[in-house]
Amino acid sequence: MTVLQDSGADRESAPLLQLADVVKSYRIGGEQVRALDGISLEPTGGQFVSIVGPSGAGKSSLLHILGALDTPDSGSIRYVGREIGDFDDNARARFRRREVGFVFQFFNLMPTLSAWENVAIPTMLDGVPLRTAKVRALALLDRVGLGHRARHRPNELSGGQMQRVAIARALLMEPRLILADEPTGNLDSKTGTSIMELLTDVAHDEHTSRSVVMVTHNYEAALSTDRIIRLADGMLGSDEPTASAIAKAGK
Ligand code: ADP
């Protein structure tokens, strides 16, 4: 299921995402603020990447640009070799719906819908028949350990369970990119750890070559990912594998 028309071989050989010299500014009053000041990076398939940095460093701006929720002023973003800036509005919307899964700090579930209905929403918007969407949603809830809560509404679930529903929803269209904005920010540390384990599992799924990119203030959570990118004043401070990733690669 893809928005792109490349052959399978092209998709295999091109890097998942390539950002080159991305600049994004905002005008506040008369003043120009550079949220991103020449960012180049390449999240790799099969990797869990965290982006850390102080408030105002540009983390959210970067995540929005990675997910085509916003456009840069200049620079290039290629998704499996295709320039996202060249997509028309329809292609951008399809890219967001099919190629990217979003996970948010406050889960963003619809309160009146059950867990499986929340998971199934993206496919229903995409014209998939309800019965097919339901089967897929139930299988994904099983995968995130919530098969037994499929008919519960969000207010009958714990924070960790709501985040699991949100992760199942993000996986529904089988995207190769998952973007997570402070996914553990509203959870206690034990529940946060279990969500990090689930996201690690999602990134390391050997059948998909998927990349999970997470923005976080939680440095301890970032240490459990494969790679930490530090942002400061819209610039890349460092981009390094974590000790756990180095240890794993050495095995
Ligand atoms: P972070 O997520 O690291 O806190 P942001 O990407 O939200 O950083 O913000 C980076 C800079 O860009 C900040 O100075 C912020 O005030 C500014 N900024 C972000 N979004 C907007 C916006 N929509 N309008 C104006 N300024 C913005």
mmCIF file of all heavy atoms in Angstrom, residues 49-83:
data_model
loop_
_atom_site.group_PDB
_atom_site.id
_atom_site.type_symbol
_atom_site.label_atom_id
_atom_site.label_comp_id
_atom_site.label_asym_id
_atom_site.label_seq_id
_atom_site.Cartn_x
_atom_site.Cartn_y
_atom_site.Cartn_z
ATOM 1 N N VAL A 49 14.750 6.437 16.249
ATOM 2 C CA VAL A 49 15.563 7.649 16.385
ATOM 3 C C VAL A 49 14.878 8.608 17.342
ATOM 4 O O VAL A 49 13.666 8.826 17.241
ATOM 5 C CB VAL A 49 15.684 8.362 15.008
ATOM 6 C CG1 VAL A 49 16.530 9.618 15.118
ATOM 7 C CG2 VAL A 49 16.245 7.423 13.965
ATOM 8 N N SER A 50 15.639 9.192 18.282
ATOM 9 C CA SER A 50 15.014 10.227 19.104
ATOM 10 C C SER A 50 15.644 11.580 18.830
ATOM 11 O O SER A 50 16.842 11.685 18.540
ATOM 12 C CB SER A 50 15.067 9.891 20.583
ATOM 13 O OG SER A 50 16.297 9.348 20.923
ATOM 14 N N ILE A 51 14.800 12.590 18.905
ATOM 15 C CA ILE A 51 15.243 13.973 18.723
ATOM 16 C C ILE A 51 15.058 14.670 20.056
ATOM 17 O O ILE A 51 13.936 14.720 20.583
ATOM 18 C CB ILE A 51 14.409 14.677 17.629
ATOM 19 C CG1 ILE A 51 14.604 13.954 16.297
ATOM 20 C CG2 ILE A 51 14.786 16.140 17.525
ATOM 21 C CD1 ILE A 51 13.707 14.444 15.184
ATOM 22 N N VAL A 52 16.152 15.144 20.646
ATOM 23 C CA VAL A 52 16.078 15.792 21.953
ATOM 24 C C VAL A 52 16.602 17.226 21.828
ATOM 25 O O VAL A 52 17.299 17.561 20.879
ATOM 26 C CB VAL A 52 16.889 15.024 23.036
ATOM 27 C CG1 VAL A 52 16.385 13.613 23.200
ATOM 28 C CG2 VAL A 52 18.381 15.014 22.713
ATOM 29 N N GLY A 53 16.259 18.029 22.838
ATOM 30 C CA GLY A 53 16.738 19.416 22.833
ATOM 31 C C GLY A 53 15.829 20.247 23.702
ATOM 32 O O GLY A 53 14.696 19.843 23.978
ATOM 33 N N PRO A 54 16.300 21.403 24.137
ATOM 34 C CA PRO A 54 15.486 22.243 25.014
ATOM 35 C C PRO A 54 14.252 22.786 24.301
ATOM 36 O O PRO A 54 14.171 22.738 23.063
ATOM 37 C CB PRO A 54 16.429 23.379 25.413
ATOM 38 C CG PRO A 54 17.490 23.396 24.369
ATOM 39 C CD PRO A 54 17.607 22.000 23.850
ATOM 40 N N SER A 55 13.331 23.301 25.073
ATOM 41 C CA SER A 55 12.135 23.904 24.520
ATOM 42 C C SER A 55 12.537 25.022 23.556
ATOM 43 O O SER A 55 13.458 25.803 23.855
ATOM 44 C CB SER A 55 11.330 24.466 25.702
ATOM 45 O OG SER A 55 10.044 24.695 25.290
ATOM 46 N N GLY A 56 11.891 25.060 22.402
ATOM 47 C CA GLY A 56 12.210 26.098 21.420
ATOM 48 C C GLY A 56 13.342 25.713 20.488
ATOM 49 O O GLY A 56 13.718 26.495 19.601
ATOM 50 N N ALA A 57 13.892 24.498 20.646
ATOM 51 C CA ALA A 57 15.042 24.087 19.830
ATOM 52 C C ALA A 57 14.659 23.802 18.381
ATOM 53 O O ALA A 57 15.520 23.783 17.498
ATOM 54 C CB ALA A 57 15.697 22.843 20.434
ATOM 55 N N GLY A 58 13.366 23.531 18.137
ATOM 56 C CA GLY A 58 12.927 23.245 16.765
ATOM 57 C C GLY A 58 12.425 21.820 16.583
ATOM 58 O O GLY A 58 12.152 21.393 15.458
ATOM 59 N N LYS A 59 12.264 21.083 17.684
ATOM 60 C CA LYS A 59 11.890 19.655 17.597
ATOM 61 C C LYS A 59 10.531 19.469 16.908
ATOM 62 O O LYS A 59 10.393 18.648 16.005
ATOM 63 C CB LYS A 59 11.857 19.020 19.007
ATOM 64 C CG LYS A 59 13.161 19.148 19.768
ATOM 65 C CD LYS A 59 13.113 18.435 21.102
ATOM 66 C CE LYS A 59 12.112 19.012 22.093
ATOM 67 N NZ LYS A 59 12.387 20.395 22.515
ATOM 68 N N SER A 60 9.530 20.222 17.379
ATOM 69 C CA SER A 60 8.184 20.044 16.797
ATOM 70 C C SER A 60 8.185 20.489 15.341
ATOM 71 O O SER A 60 7.558 19.839 14.487
ATOM 72 C CB SER A 60 7.143 20.860 17.562
ATOM 73 O OG SER A 60 7.173 20.503 18.897
ATOM 74 N N SER A 61 8.870 21.589 15.054
ATOM 75 C CA SER A 61 8.931 22.061 13.659
ATOM 76 C C SER A 61 9.509 20.970 12.774
ATOM 77 O O SER A 61 8.995 20.706 11.677
ATOM 78 C CB SER A 61 9.811 23.311 13.552
ATOM 79 O OG SER A 61 9.321 24.319 14.390
ATOM 80 N N LEU A 62 10.556 20.301 13.264
ATOM 81 C CA LEU A 62 11.188 19.241 12.473
ATOM 82 C C LEU A 62 10.230 18.063 12.270
ATOM 83 O O LEU A 62 10.088 17.532 11.165
ATOM 84 C CB LEU A 62 12.478 18.794 13.168
ATOM 85 C CG LEU A 62 13.284 17.698 12.483
ATOM 86 C CD1 LEU A 62 13.657 18.084 11.059
ATOM 87 C CD2 LEU A 62 14.566 17.394 13.271
ATOM 88 N N LEU A 63 9.536 17.682 13.353
ATOM 89 C CA LEU A 63 8.599 16.556 13.250
ATOM 90 C C LEU A 63 7.479 16.880 12.249
ATOM 91 O O LEU A 63 7.083 16.039 11.448
ATOM 92 C CB LEU A 63 8.021 16.250 14.641
ATOM 93 C CG LEU A 63 7.581 14.818 14.855
ATOM 94 C CD1 LEU A 63 8.776 13.879 14.906
ATOM 95 C CD2 LEU A 63 6.793 14.683 16.161
ATOM 96 N N HIS A 64 6.985 18.133 12.295
ATOM 97 C CA HIS A 64 5.913 18.526 11.371
ATOM 98 C C HIS A 64 6.384 18.478 9.920
ATOM 99 O O HIS A 64 5.650 18.061 9.032
ATOM 100 C CB HIS A 64 5.407 19.937 11.718
ATOM 101 C CG HIS A 64 4.661 19.967 13.006
ATOM 102 N ND1 HIS A 64 4.417 21.117 13.726
ATOM 103 C CD2 HIS A 64 4.111 18.975 13.741
ATOM 104 C CE1 HIS A 64 3.755 20.821 14.832
ATOM 105 N NE2 HIS A 64 3.554 19.534 14.855
ATOM 106 N N ILE A 65 7.621 18.871 9.707
ATOM 107 C CA ILE A 65 8.143 18.853 8.338
ATOM 108 C C ILE A 65 8.382 17.415 7.879
ATOM 109 O O ILE A 65 8.075 17.049 6.742
ATOM 110 C CB ILE A 65 9.400 19.744 8.244
ATOM 111 C CG1 ILE A 65 8.929 21.195 8.170
ATOM 112 C CG2 ILE A 65 10.270 19.366 7.062
ATOM 113 C CD1 ILE A 65 10.007 22.225 8.140
ATOM 114 N N LEU A 66 8.860 16.556 8.800
ATOM 115 C CA LEU A 66 9.065 15.138 8.438
ATOM 116 C C LEU A 66 7.746 14.491 8.016
ATOM 117 O O LEU A 66 7.719 13.619 7.149
ATOM 118 C CB LEU A 66 9.651 14.366 9.624
ATOM 119 C CG LEU A 66 11.119 14.627 9.968
ATOM 120 C CD1 LEU A 66 11.490 13.942 11.282
ATOM 121 C CD2 LEU A 66 12.011 14.106 8.857
ATOM 122 N N GLY A 67 6.647 14.894 8.663
ATOM 123 C CA GLY A 67 5.348 14.286 8.371
ATOM 124 C C GLY A 67 4.554 15.031 7.323
ATOM 125 O O GLY A 67 3.371 14.757 7.125
ATOM 126 N N ALA A 68 5.173 15.983 6.628
ATOM 127 C CA ALA A 68 4.507 16.807 5.603
ATOM 128 C C ALA A 68 3.289 17.543 6.154
ATOM 129 O O ALA A 68 2.342 17.830 5.436
ATOM 130 C CB ALA A 68 4.135 15.977 4.371
ATOM 131 N N LEU A 69 3.310 17.833 7.463
ATOM 132 C CA LEU A 69 2.258 18.668 8.041
ATOM 133 C C LEU A 69 2.591 20.137 7.809
ATOM 134 O O LEU A 69 1.748 21.015 7.941
ATOM 135 C CB LEU A 69 2.139 18.419 9.559
ATOM 136 C CG LEU A 69 1.668 17.030 9.977
ATOM 137 C CD1 LEU A 69 1.856 16.816 11.472
ATOM 138 C CD2 LEU A 69 0.208 16.815 9.594
ATOM 139 N N ASP A 70 3.862 20.387 7.506
ATOM 140 C CA ASP A 70 4.324 21.744 7.250
ATOM 141 C C ASP A 70 5.390 21.682 6.155
ATOM 142 O O ASP A 70 5.950 20.606 5.908
ATOM 143 C CB ASP A 70 4.922 22.313 8.552
ATOM 144 C CG ASP A 70 4.832 23.828 8.585
ATOM 145 O OD1 ASP A 70 4.494 24.430 7.545
ATOM 146 O OD2 ASP A 70 5.107 24.412 9.649
ATOM 147 N N THR A 71 5.638 22.818 5.506
ATOM 148 C CA THR A 71 6.644 22.817 4.429
ATOM 149 C C THR A 71 7.818 23.708 4.823
ATOM 150 O O THR A 71 7.633 24.742 5.457
ATOM 151 C CB THR A 71 6.049 23.380 3.118
ATOM 152 O OG1 THR A 71 5.385 24.608 3.439
ATOM 153 C CG2 THR A 71 5.075 22.422 2.499
ATOM 154 N N PRO A 72 9.041 23.319 4.440
ATOM 155 C CA PRO A 72 10.192 24.171 4.749
ATOM 156 C C PRO A 72 10.247 25.375 3.815
ATOM 157 O O PRO A 72 9.638 25.357 2.747
ATOM 158 C CB PRO A 72 11.384 23.239 4.515
ATOM 159 C CG PRO A 72 10.903 22.204 3.570
ATOM 160 C CD PRO A 72 9.422 22.077 3.747
ATOM 161 N N ASP A 73 10.978 26.413 4.221
ATOM 162 C CA ASP A 73 11.197 27.581 3.342
ATOM 163 C C ASP A 73 12.169 27.198 2.237
ATOM 164 O O ASP A 73 12.052 27.645 1.103
ATOM 165 C CB ASP A 73 11.802 28.753 4.126
ATOM 166 C CG ASP A 73 10.937 29.155 5.295
ATOM 167 O OD1 ASP A 73 9.722 28.889 5.231
ATOM 168 O OD2 ASP A 73 11.475 29.693 6.274
ATOM 169 N N SER A 74 13.164 26.400 2.597
ATOM 170 C CA SER A 74 14.126 25.930 1.588
ATOM 171 C C SER A 74 14.724 24.616 2.060
ATOM 172 O O SER A 74 14.541 24.210 3.205
ATOM 173 C CB SER A 74 15.226 26.976 1.372
ATOM 174 O OG SER A 74 15.945 27.170 2.572
ATOM 175 N N GLY A 75 15.449 23.971 1.163
ATOM 176 C CA GLY A 75 16.023 22.663 1.473
ATOM 177 C C GLY A 75 15.197 21.562 0.848
ATOM 178 O O GLY A 75 14.150 21.828 0.241
ATOM 179 N N SER A 76 15.681 20.334 1.003
ATOM 180 C CA SER A 76 15.048 19.217 0.309
ATOM 181 C C SER A 76 14.660 18.115 1.300
ATOM 182 O O SER A 76 15.381 17.859 2.266
ATOM 183 C CB SER A 76 16.064 18.716 -0.731
ATOM 184 O OG SER A 76 15.897 17.349 -0.961
ATOM 185 N N ILE A 77 13.493 17.505 1.063
ATOM 186 C CA ILE A 77 13.099 16.317 1.832
ATOM 187 C C ILE A 77 12.688 15.251 0.843
ATOM 188 O O ILE A 77 11.712 15.425 0.097
ATOM 189 C CB ILE A 77 11.884 16.570 2.742
ATOM 190 C CG1 ILE A 77 12.109 17.823 3.554
ATOM 191 C CG2 ILE A 77 11.626 15.382 3.668
ATOM 192 C CD1 ILE A 77 10.865 18.228 4.264
ATOM 193 N N ARG A 78 13.448 14.177 0.828
ATOM 194 C CA ARG A 78 13.142 13.082 -0.087
ATOM 195 C C ARG A 78 12.631 11.891 0.708
ATOM 196 O O ARG A 78 13.217 11.527 1.719
ATOM 197 C CB ARG A 78 14.387 12.680 -0.866
ATOM 198 C CG ARG A 78 14.768 13.710 -1.865
ATOM 199 C CD ARG A 78 16.024 13.336 -2.623
ATOM 200 N NE ARG A 78 16.150 14.213 -3.765
ATOM 201 C CZ ARG A 78 15.694 13.928 -4.973
ATOM 202 N NH1 ARG A 78 15.137 12.758 -5.221
ATOM 203 N NH2 ARG A 78 15.791 14.796 -5.949
ATOM 204 N N TYR A 79 11.537 11.321 0.212
ATOM 205 C CA TYR A 79 10.975 10.109 0.799
ATOM 206 C C TYR A 79 11.148 9.007 -0.242
ATOM 207 O O TYR A 79 10.644 9.142 -1.359
ATOM 208 C CB TYR A 79 9.499 10.315 1.143
ATOM 209 C CG TYR A 79 8.855 9.082 1.721
ATOM 210 C CD1 TYR A 79 9.122 8.690 3.035
ATOM 211 C CD2 TYR A 79 8.001 8.303 0.969
ATOM 212 C CE1 TYR A 79 8.560 7.553 3.566
ATOM 213 C CE2 TYR A 79 7.423 7.157 1.492
ATOM 214 C CZ TYR A 79 7.706 6.788 2.787
ATOM 215 O OH TYR A 79 7.147 5.654 3.308
ATOM 216 N N VAL A 80 11.876 7.966 0.115
ATOM 217 C CA VAL A 80 12.316 6.933 -0.843
ATOM 218 C C VAL A 80 12.605 7.526 -2.228
ATOM 219 O O VAL A 80 12.110 7.062 -3.246
ATOM 220 C CB VAL A 80 11.352 5.708 -0.929
ATOM 221 C CG1 VAL A 80 11.581 4.770 0.234
ATOM 222 C CG2 VAL A 80 9.906 6.088 -1.019
ATOM 223 N N GLY A 81 13.426 8.563 -2.212
ATOM 224 C CA GLY A 81 13.930 9.139 -3.451
ATOM 225 C C GLY A 81 13.062 10.220 -4.069
ATOM 226 O O GLY A 81 13.486 10.883 -5.006
ATOM 227 N N ARG A 82 11.833 10.405 -3.577
ATOM 228 C CA ARG A 82 10.930 11.399 -4.162
ATOM 229 C C ARG A 82 10.908 12.676 -3.318
ATOM 230 O O ARG A 82 10.769 12.605 -2.094
ATOM 231 C CB ARG A 82 9.492 10.851 -4.218
ATOM 232 C CG ARG A 82 9.310 9.713 -5.177
ATOM 233 C CD ARG A 82 9.422 10.217 -6.613
ATOM 234 N NE ARG A 82 9.170 9.156 -7.571
ATOM 235 C CZ ARG A 82 7.972 8.810 -7.994
ATOM 236 N NH1 ARG A 82 6.899 9.404 -7.535
ATOM 237 N NH2 ARG A 82 7.844 7.843 -8.874
ATOM 238 N N GLU A 83 10.991 13.828 -4.016
ATOM 239 C CA GLU A 83 10.988 15.125 -3.326
ATOM 240 C C GLU A 83 9.555 15.428 -2.851
ATOM 241 O O GLU A 83 8.647 15.581 -3.671
ATOM 242 C CB GLU A 83 11.483 16.188 -4.323
ATOM 243 C CG GLU A 83 11.649 17.559 -3.746
ATOM 244 C CD GLU A 83 12.709 17.620 -2.657
ATOM 245 O OE1 GLU A 83 13.832 17.146 -2.859
ATOM 246 O OE2 GLU A 83 12.388 18.156 -1.578
#
